[in-house]
PDB file of all heavy atoms in Angstrom:
ATOM      1  N   VAL A  57      14.734 -18.718 -17.911  1.00 97.00           N
ATOM      2  CA  VAL A  57      15.111 -18.230 -19.230  1.00 97.00           C
ATOM      3  C   VAL A  57      13.914 -18.438 -20.168  1.00 97.00           C
ATOM      4  O   VAL A  57      13.572 -19.601 -20.512  1.00 97.00           O
ATOM      5  CB  VAL A  57      16.336 -19.023 -19.779  1.00 97.00           C
ATOM      6  CG1 VAL A  57      16.718 -18.452 -21.159  1.00 97.00           C
ATOM      7  CG2 VAL A  57      17.479 -18.986 -18.808  1.00 97.00           C
ATOM      8  N   GLY A  58      13.204 -17.343 -20.517  1.00 96.00           N
ATOM      9  CA  GLY A  58      12.055 -17.477 -21.456  1.00 96.00           C
ATOM     10  C   GLY A  58      10.753 -17.196 -20.791  1.00 96.00           C
ATOM     11  O   GLY A  58      10.690 -16.600 -19.705  1.00 96.00           O
ATOM     12  N   GLU A  59       9.669 -17.710 -21.384  1.00 98.00           N
ATOM     13  CA  GLU A  59       8.304 -17.238 -21.050  1.00 98.00           C
ATOM     14  C   GLU A  59       7.574 -18.151 -20.060  1.00 98.00           C
ATOM     15  O   GLU A  59       7.254 -19.269 -20.384  1.00 98.00           O
ATOM     16  CB  GLU A  59       7.514 -17.166 -22.385  1.00 98.00           C
ATOM     17  CG  GLU A  59       6.172 -16.556 -22.187  1.00 98.00           C
ATOM     18  CD  GLU A  59       5.462 -16.356 -23.490  1.00 98.00           C
ATOM     19  OE1 GLU A  59       5.856 -15.486 -24.285  1.00 98.00           O
ATOM     20  OE2 GLU A  59       4.517 -17.160 -23.790  1.00 98.00           O
ATOM     21  N   THR A  60       7.303 -17.569 -18.917  1.00 98.00           N
ATOM     22  CA  THR A  60       6.449 -18.271 -17.899  1.00 98.00           C
ATOM     23  C   THR A  60       5.074 -17.698 -17.968  1.00 98.00           C
ATOM     24  O   THR A  60       4.898 -16.462 -18.023  1.00 98.00           O
ATOM     25  CB  THR A  60       7.061 -18.076 -16.494  1.00 98.00           C
ATOM     26  OG1 THR A  60       8.235 -18.888 -16.366  1.00 98.00           O
ATOM     27  CG2 THR A  60       6.086 -18.420 -15.381  1.00 98.00           C
ATOM     28  N   ARG A  61       4.057 -18.529 -18.009  1.00 98.00           N
ATOM     29  CA  ARG A  61       2.647 -18.074 -18.061  1.00 98.00           C
ATOM     30  C   ARG A  61       2.017 -18.421 -16.712  1.00 98.00           C
ATOM     31  O   ARG A  61       2.061 -19.558 -16.262  1.00 98.00           O
ATOM     32  CB  ARG A  61       1.878 -18.741 -19.199  1.00 98.00           C
ATOM     33  CG  ARG A  61       2.574 -18.492 -20.545  1.00 98.00           C
ATOM     34  CD  ARG A  61       1.689 -19.038 -21.692  1.00 98.00           C
ATOM     35  NE  ARG A  61       0.624 -18.085 -22.036  1.00 98.00           N
ATOM     36  CZ  ARG A  61       0.835 -17.050 -22.888  1.00 98.00           C
ATOM     37  NH1 ARG A  61       1.968 -16.923 -23.534  1.00 98.00           N
ATOM     38  NH2 ARG A  61      -0.177 -16.226 -23.179  1.00 98.00           N
ATOM     39  N   ILE A  62       1.370 -17.392 -16.130  1.00 98.00           N
ATOM     40  CA  ILE A  62       0.772 -17.608 -14.800  1.00 98.00           C
ATOM     41  C   ILE A  62      -0.717 -17.385 -14.909  1.00 98.00           C
ATOM     42  O   ILE A  62      -1.142 -16.379 -15.519  1.00 98.00           O
ATOM     43  CB  ILE A  62       1.349 -16.603 -13.770  1.00 98.00           C
ATOM     44  CG1 ILE A  62       2.868 -16.656 -13.736  1.00 98.00           C
ATOM     45  CG2 ILE A  62       0.800 -16.912 -12.372  1.00 98.00           C
ATOM     46  CD1 ILE A  62       3.507 -15.519 -12.937  1.00 98.00           C
ATOM     47  N   SER A  63      -1.545 -18.303 -14.347  1.00 97.00           N
ATOM     48  CA  SER A  63      -2.977 -18.075 -14.280  1.00 97.00           C
ATOM     49  C   SER A  63      -3.418 -18.080 -12.824  1.00 97.00           C
ATOM     50  O   SER A  63      -2.743 -18.697 -11.950  1.00 97.00           O
ATOM     51  CB  SER A  63      -3.762 -19.129 -15.071  1.00 97.00           C
ATOM     52  OG  SER A  63      -3.441 -20.392 -14.546  1.00 97.00           O
ATOM     53  N   GLY A  64      -4.500 -17.322 -12.575  1.00 97.00           N
ATOM     54  CA  GLY A  64      -5.000 -17.246 -11.171  1.00 97.00           C
ATOM     55  C   GLY A  64      -4.152 -16.412 -10.262  1.00 97.00           C
ATOM     56  O   GLY A  64      -4.264 -16.494  -9.042  1.00 97.00           O
ATOM     57  N   LEU A  65      -3.307 -15.529 -10.851  1.00 98.00           N
ATOM     58  CA  LEU A  65      -2.449 -14.691  -9.978  1.00 98.00           C
ATOM     59  C   LEU A  65      -3.310 -13.777  -9.111  1.00 98.00           C
ATOM     60  O   LEU A  65      -4.291 -13.214  -9.607  1.00 98.00           O
ATOM     61  CB  LEU A  65      -1.541 -13.835 -10.881  1.00 98.00           C
ATOM     62  CG  LEU A  65      -0.414 -13.086 -10.119  1.00 98.00           C
ATOM     63  CD1 LEU A  65       0.842 -13.961  -9.986  1.00 98.00           C
ATOM     64  CD2 LEU A  65      -0.048 -11.770 -10.761  1.00 98.00           C
ATOM     65  N   LEU A  66      -2.936 -13.620  -7.893  1.00 98.00           N
ATOM     66  CA  LEU A  66      -3.623 -12.658  -7.010  1.00 98.00           C
ATOM     67  C   LEU A  66      -3.264 -11.248  -7.474  1.00 98.00           C
ATOM     68  O   LEU A  66      -2.108 -10.850  -7.476  1.00 98.00           O
ATOM     69  CB  LEU A  66      -3.146 -12.857  -5.556  1.00 98.00           C
ATOM     70  CG  LEU A  66      -3.512 -11.697  -4.609  1.00 98.00           C
ATOM     71  CD1 LEU A  66      -5.015 -11.587  -4.453  1.00 98.00           C
ATOM     72  CD2 LEU A  66      -2.857 -11.848  -3.252  1.00 98.00           C
ATOM     73  N   GLU A  67      -4.301 -10.499  -7.882  1.00 98.00           N
ATOM     74  CA  GLU A  67      -4.014  -9.113  -8.357  1.00 98.00           C
ATOM     75  C   GLU A  67      -4.261  -8.150  -7.230  1.00 98.00           C
ATOM     76  O   GLU A  67      -5.023  -7.198  -7.331  1.00 98.00           O
ATOM     77  CB  GLU A  67      -4.838  -8.832  -9.603  1.00 98.00           C
ATOM     78  CG  GLU A  67      -4.352  -9.712 -10.769  1.00 98.00           C
ATOM     79  CD  GLU A  67      -5.129  -9.589 -12.058  1.00 98.00           C
ATOM     80  OE1 GLU A  67      -6.349  -9.321 -12.014  1.00 98.00           O
ATOM     81  OE2 GLU A  67      -4.516  -9.748 -13.149  1.00 98.00           O
ATOM     82  N   GLY A  68      -3.607  -8.438  -6.140  1.00 97.00           N
ATOM     83  CA  GLY A  68      -3.652  -7.521  -4.951  1.00 97.00           C
ATOM     84  C   GLY A  68      -2.398  -6.646  -4.978  1.00 97.00           C
ATOM     85  O   GLY A  68      -1.432  -6.938  -5.674  1.00 97.00           O
ATOM     86  N   GLU A  69      -2.492  -5.564  -4.173  1.00 97.00           N
ATOM     87  CA  GLU A  69      -1.369  -4.571  -4.230  1.00 97.00           C
ATOM     88  C   GLU A  69      -0.012  -5.175  -3.924  1.00 97.00           C
ATOM     89  O   GLU A  69       1.000  -4.866  -4.535  1.00 97.00           O
ATOM     90  CB  GLU A  69      -1.672  -3.440  -3.259  1.00 97.00           C
ATOM     91  CG  GLU A  69      -2.827  -2.578  -3.731  1.00 97.00           C
ATOM     92  CD  GLU A  69      -3.315  -1.603  -2.660  1.00 97.00           C
ATOM     93  OE1 GLU A  69      -2.704  -1.543  -1.565  1.00 97.00           O
ATOM     94  OE2 GLU A  69      -4.278  -0.847  -2.929  1.00 97.00           O
ATOM     95  N   ASP A  70       0.031  -6.094  -2.937  1.00 97.00           N
ATOM     96  CA  ASP A  70       1.332  -6.701  -2.573  1.00 97.00           C
ATOM     97  C   ASP A  70       1.987  -7.377  -3.764  1.00 97.00           C
ATOM     98  O   ASP A  70       3.163  -7.217  -4.020  1.00 97.00           O
ATOM     99  CB  ASP A  70       1.123  -7.791  -1.516  1.00 97.00           C
ATOM    100  CG  ASP A  70       0.986  -7.226  -0.096  1.00 97.00           C
ATOM    101  OD1 ASP A  70       0.838  -5.977   0.026  1.00 97.00           O
ATOM    102  OD2 ASP A  70       1.045  -8.031   0.857  1.00 97.00           O
TER     103      ASP A  70
END
Side-chain angles (χ1 to χ4, degrees):
V57 183
E59 186 175 288
T60 285
R61 303 187 81 88
I62 307 170
S63 59
L65 189 89
L66 166 65
E67 294 177 327
E69 289 170 2
D70 278 12

